[in-house]
Amino acid sequence: MTRATPTPAKALLDPRNHILVLIDFQSQMSFATKSIDAVTLRNNAALVSRAAAGFGVSAILTTVAEKSFSGPMFGEITEAFPGQALLDRTSMNTWEDAKVIARVNEIGKSRIVLAGLWTSVCIVGPALSALEQGFEVYVIADACGDVSEEAHERAMDRMVQAGARPMTSLQYLLELQRDWARTDTYDMTTGIAKTFGGAYGLGIIYAKSMFGAQEGH
């Protein structure tokens, strides 16, 4: 007989069991992005970045041809990780860059979470490469974008078929919190949600303003 226990699945993310790799959130890359509008993309990138920084997740920030072509990384990301070095590359596939791989090995975690531009090139490349080398890979789908909806969706299909696990930005934040009784990160989590969580964030503002609601109490 199978017995249930009050324990989380090993496949769930927590702040200590993965590396977040944010890839090519840059001006030139965003100009041609059509699968998601720029405001939503920037908002979701900010949500993911604030969540990772707030929970102390190991993060790698990487750009491609920052000075010569693609421009700076979104301020929404760099502001969440003040002082963190950006690893600039020439390769479209992040997993082929020696500096990035050295950092992955230095951190030493076998679970990789990816987000960035474009889904079909700069996310597919490291996703398939990491999977082939035995890493677990998660892709934050609504913090990625491509030149068309078709390009984004087919890229997601390709990664999922290879074994990657898709998720969303808000899901990422709430999976890191996971229990409203964790009071040390409660205010941070609800604060990020209120600022970047869309309608869910408005709901939190309404509930707290109207009748002082608080999850976990």
Short mmCIF file of all heavy atoms in Angstrom, two decimals, residues 23-34 38 41-42 63-74 116-118 122 145-147:
data_model
loop_
_atom_site.label_atom_id
_atom_site.label_comp_id
_atom_site.label_asym_id
_atom_site.label_seq_id
_atom_site.Cartn_x
_atom_site.Cartn_y
_atom_site.Cartn_z
N ILE A 23 20.01 34.81 -19.42
CA ILE A 23 20.78 34.86 -20.66
C ILE A 23 20.27 35.95 -21.62
O ILE A 23 19.09 35.95 -22.01
CB ILE A 23 20.70 33.49 -21.37
CG1 ILE A 23 21.27 32.39 -20.47
CG2 ILE A 23 21.43 33.52 -22.71
CD1 ILE A 23 21.05 30.98 -21.01
N ASP A 24 21.13 36.87 -21.97
CA ASP A 24 20.92 37.80 -23.08
C ASP A 24 19.65 38.63 -22.99
O ASP A 24 18.99 38.90 -24.00
CB ASP A 24 20.97 37.04 -24.41
CG ASP A 24 22.27 36.30 -24.62
OD1 ASP A 24 23.21 36.51 -23.82
OD2 ASP A 24 22.36 35.50 -25.56
N PHE A 25 19.29 39.06 -21.79
CA PHE A 25 18.22 40.05 -21.64
C PHE A 25 18.82 41.40 -22.01
O PHE A 25 19.18 42.19 -21.15
CB PHE A 25 17.71 40.06 -20.20
CG PHE A 25 16.80 38.92 -19.85
CD1 PHE A 25 17.28 37.83 -19.12
CD2 PHE A 25 15.46 38.93 -20.21
CE1 PHE A 25 16.44 36.79 -18.77
CE2 PHE A 25 14.62 37.89 -19.86
CZ PHE A 25 15.10 36.82 -19.14
N GLN A 26 18.92 41.67 -23.31
CA GLN A 26 19.61 42.85 -23.82
C GLN A 26 18.76 43.58 -24.85
O GLN A 26 17.88 42.99 -25.48
CB GLN A 26 20.95 42.43 -24.46
CG GLN A 26 21.93 41.80 -23.48
CD GLN A 26 23.11 41.17 -24.17
OE1 GLN A 26 23.12 39.96 -24.40
NE2 GLN A 26 24.12 41.98 -24.51
N SER A 27 19.05 44.85 -25.02
CA SER A 27 18.23 45.71 -25.88
C SER A 27 18.09 45.16 -27.29
O SER A 27 16.98 45.04 -27.83
CB SER A 27 18.85 47.12 -25.93
OG SER A 27 19.01 47.63 -24.64
N GLN A 28 19.21 44.87 -27.94
CA GLN A 28 19.17 44.41 -29.32
C GLN A 28 18.36 43.12 -29.48
O GLN A 28 17.63 42.95 -30.45
CB GLN A 28 20.59 44.21 -29.86
CG GLN A 28 20.68 43.72 -31.29
CD GLN A 28 20.09 44.71 -32.28
OE1 GLN A 28 20.15 45.91 -32.08
NE2 GLN A 28 19.51 44.20 -33.36
N MET A 29 18.47 42.25 -28.51
CA MET A 29 17.72 40.99 -28.58
C MET A 29 16.22 41.23 -28.40
O MET A 29 15.39 40.54 -28.99
CB MET A 29 18.22 40.02 -27.50
CG MET A 29 19.70 39.70 -27.56
SD MET A 29 20.18 38.92 -29.11
CE MET A 29 19.32 37.36 -28.98
N SER A 30 15.87 42.22 -27.58
CA SER A 30 14.46 42.46 -27.31
C SER A 30 13.75 43.18 -28.46
O SER A 30 12.53 43.06 -28.61
CB SER A 30 14.30 43.29 -26.02
OG SER A 30 14.85 44.58 -26.17
N PHE A 31 14.50 43.92 -29.28
CA PHE A 31 13.86 44.66 -30.38
C PHE A 31 13.09 43.74 -31.31
O PHE A 31 12.01 44.10 -31.80
CB PHE A 31 14.91 45.44 -31.19
CG PHE A 31 15.58 46.56 -30.44
CD1 PHE A 31 16.84 47.01 -30.82
CD2 PHE A 31 14.97 47.15 -29.34
CE1 PHE A 31 17.47 48.03 -30.13
CE2 PHE A 31 15.60 48.18 -28.65
CZ PHE A 31 16.86 48.63 -29.05
N ALA A 32 13.62 42.56 -31.58
CA ALA A 32 12.98 41.65 -32.54
C ALA A 32 12.08 40.63 -31.85
O ALA A 32 11.49 39.77 -32.52
CB ALA A 32 14.04 40.92 -33.36
N THR A 33 11.95 40.71 -30.53
CA THR A 33 11.13 39.74 -29.80
C THR A 33 9.65 40.06 -29.99
O THR A 33 9.20 41.16 -29.67
CB THR A 33 11.49 39.75 -28.30
OG1 THR A 33 12.86 39.34 -28.16
CG2 THR A 33 10.59 38.83 -27.51
N LYS A 34 8.89 39.09 -30.52
CA LYS A 34 7.47 39.30 -30.81
C LYS A 34 6.54 38.33 -30.08
O LYS A 34 5.33 38.52 -30.08
CB LYS A 34 7.23 39.15 -32.32
CG LYS A 34 8.07 40.07 -33.20
CD LYS A 34 7.82 41.54 -32.89
CE LYS A 34 8.67 42.43 -33.79
NZ LYS A 34 8.54 43.87 -33.43
N ALA A 38 7.30 43.69 -24.65
CA ALA A 38 8.48 44.09 -23.90
C ALA A 38 8.17 44.41 -22.44
O ALA A 38 8.99 44.13 -21.55
CB ALA A 38 9.13 45.30 -24.58
N LEU A 41 7.75 41.11 -20.59
CA LEU A 41 9.05 40.46 -20.51
C LEU A 41 9.91 41.09 -19.42
O LEU A 41 10.51 40.39 -18.59
CB LEU A 41 9.76 40.53 -21.86
CG LEU A 41 11.17 39.95 -21.91
CD1 LEU A 41 11.15 38.45 -21.69
CD2 LEU A 41 11.82 40.28 -23.26
N ARG A 42 9.97 42.42 -19.41
CA ARG A 42 10.78 43.11 -18.41
C ARG A 42 10.23 42.87 -17.01
O ARG A 42 10.98 42.68 -16.05
CB ARG A 42 10.84 44.60 -18.72
CG ARG A 42 11.62 44.92 -19.98
CD ARG A 42 11.55 46.40 -20.33
NE ARG A 42 12.25 47.21 -19.33
CZ ARG A 42 12.30 48.55 -19.38
NH1 ARG A 42 11.67 49.21 -20.35
NH2 ARG A 42 12.96 49.22 -18.45
N THR A 63 25.73 37.75 -21.00
CA THR A 63 25.34 38.55 -22.17
C THR A 63 26.12 38.06 -23.38
O THR A 63 27.09 37.33 -23.26
CB THR A 63 25.64 40.04 -21.94
OG1 THR A 63 27.05 40.18 -21.60
CG2 THR A 63 24.81 40.61 -20.81
N VAL A 64 25.67 38.52 -24.55
CA VAL A 64 26.40 38.20 -25.78
C VAL A 64 26.76 39.51 -26.47
O VAL A 64 25.90 40.38 -26.67
CB VAL A 64 25.60 37.27 -26.71
CG1 VAL A 64 24.31 37.93 -27.19
CG2 VAL A 64 26.45 36.80 -27.88
N ALA A 65 28.02 39.70 -26.79
CA ALA A 65 28.50 40.88 -27.52
C ALA A 65 27.93 42.16 -26.93
O ALA A 65 27.38 43.01 -27.65
CB ALA A 65 28.16 40.75 -29.00
N GLU A 66 28.06 42.32 -25.62
CA GLU A 66 27.43 43.46 -24.94
C GLU A 66 27.91 44.80 -25.48
O GLU A 66 27.10 45.69 -25.77
CB GLU A 66 27.70 43.39 -23.43
CG GLU A 66 27.11 44.56 -22.67
CD GLU A 66 27.57 44.63 -21.23
OE1 GLU A 66 28.43 43.81 -20.84
OE2 GLU A 66 27.08 45.51 -20.50
N LYS A 67 29.19 44.98 -25.63
CA LYS A 67 29.74 46.28 -26.02
C LYS A 67 29.67 46.53 -27.52
O LYS A 67 29.51 47.67 -27.95
CB LYS A 67 31.20 46.39 -25.56
CG LYS A 67 31.40 46.19 -24.07
CD LYS A 67 30.68 47.25 -23.26
CE LYS A 67 30.98 47.10 -21.77
NZ LYS A 67 30.20 48.05 -20.94
N SER A 68 29.77 45.47 -28.32
CA SER A 68 29.88 45.66 -29.77
C SER A 68 28.55 45.61 -30.52
O SER A 68 28.47 46.08 -31.65
CB SER A 68 30.82 44.60 -30.35
OG SER A 68 30.32 43.30 -30.10
N PHE A 69 27.50 45.01 -29.91
CA PHE A 69 26.28 44.84 -30.69
C PHE A 69 24.99 44.82 -29.86
O PHE A 69 24.07 45.58 -30.11
CB PHE A 69 26.36 43.54 -31.51
CG PHE A 69 25.16 43.30 -32.38
CD1 PHE A 69 24.94 44.06 -33.53
CD2 PHE A 69 24.23 42.32 -32.06
CE1 PHE A 69 23.84 43.85 -34.33
CE2 PHE A 69 23.12 42.10 -32.85
CZ PHE A 69 22.92 42.87 -34.00
N SER A 70 24.91 43.96 -28.86
CA SER A 70 23.62 43.66 -28.24
C SER A 70 23.19 44.61 -27.14
O SER A 70 22.02 44.65 -26.76
CB SER A 70 23.63 42.23 -27.68
OG SER A 70 23.82 41.30 -28.72
N GLY A 71 24.12 45.38 -26.60
CA GLY A 71 23.76 46.36 -25.59
C GLY A 71 23.71 45.80 -24.18
O GLY A 71 23.93 44.61 -23.95
N PRO A 72 23.38 46.66 -23.20
CA PRO A 72 23.43 46.25 -21.79
C PRO A 72 22.29 45.33 -21.40
O PRO A 72 21.24 45.30 -22.03
CB PRO A 72 23.31 47.60 -21.05
CG PRO A 72 22.51 48.46 -21.99
CD PRO A 72 22.98 48.08 -23.37
N MET A 73 22.51 44.58 -20.34
CA MET A 73 21.46 43.74 -19.77
C MET A 73 20.40 44.63 -19.13
O MET A 73 20.69 45.72 -18.64
CB MET A 73 22.06 42.77 -18.75
CG MET A 73 21.08 41.81 -18.12
SD MET A 73 21.87 40.45 -17.18
CE MET A 73 21.84 39.14 -18.41
N PHE A 74 19.16 44.15 -19.12
CA PHE A 74 18.05 44.89 -18.53
C PHE A 74 18.42 45.36 -17.12
O PHE A 74 18.90 44.58 -16.29
CB PHE A 74 16.81 44.01 -18.41
CG PHE A 74 16.15 43.61 -19.70
CD1 PHE A 74 16.65 43.98 -20.93
CD2 PHE A 74 15.00 42.84 -19.67
CE1 PHE A 74 16.04 43.60 -22.10
CE2 PHE A 74 14.37 42.45 -20.84
CZ PHE A 74 14.89 42.83 -22.06
N GLY A 116 15.62 33.75 -20.74
CA GLY A 116 16.34 34.71 -21.55
C GLY A 116 15.84 34.81 -22.98
O GLY A 116 14.76 34.33 -23.32
N LEU A 117 16.65 35.44 -23.82
CA LEU A 117 16.34 35.70 -25.22
C LEU A 117 17.44 35.10 -26.10
O LEU A 117 18.61 35.17 -25.72
CB LEU A 117 16.27 37.20 -25.48
CG LEU A 117 15.25 38.00 -24.64
CD1 LEU A 117 15.39 39.49 -24.91
CD2 LEU A 117 13.84 37.54 -24.91
N TRP A 118 17.11 34.57 -27.25
CA TRP A 118 15.82 34.11 -27.70
C TRP A 118 15.65 32.66 -27.33
O TRP A 118 16.61 31.91 -27.23
CB TRP A 118 15.68 34.29 -29.20
CG TRP A 118 15.67 35.70 -29.67
CD1 TRP A 118 15.09 36.79 -29.07
CD2 TRP A 118 16.27 36.18 -30.87
NE1 TRP A 118 15.27 37.92 -29.82
CE2 TRP A 118 16.01 37.57 -30.93
CE3 TRP A 118 17.01 35.59 -31.88
CZ2 TRP A 118 16.45 38.37 -31.97
CZ3 TRP A 118 17.45 36.37 -32.91
CH2 TRP A 118 17.17 37.74 -32.97
N CYS A 122 19.30 30.93 -27.84
CA CYS A 122 20.11 31.11 -26.64
C CYS A 122 19.59 30.35 -25.43
O CYS A 122 20.30 30.24 -24.43
CB CYS A 122 20.21 32.60 -26.32
SG CYS A 122 20.91 33.55 -27.69
N GLY A 145 11.62 34.82 -24.67
CA GLY A 145 10.92 35.37 -25.82
C GLY A 145 11.66 35.07 -27.09
O GLY A 145 12.85 34.74 -27.07
N ASP A 146 10.93 35.20 -28.22
CA ASP A 146 11.53 34.89 -29.51
C ASP A 146 10.94 35.79 -30.60
O ASP A 146 10.05 36.61 -30.33
CB ASP A 146 11.33 33.41 -29.85
CG ASP A 146 12.50 32.82 -30.61
OD1 ASP A 146 12.99 33.47 -31.57
OD2 ASP A 146 12.95 31.71 -30.27
N VAL A 147 11.41 35.61 -31.82
CA VAL A 147 11.02 36.49 -32.92
C VAL A 147 9.57 36.28 -33.35
O VAL A 147 9.01 37.09 -34.07
CB VAL A 147 11.96 36.32 -34.12
CG1 VAL A 147 13.37 36.73 -33.73
CG2 VAL A 147 11.95 34.87 -34.63
#
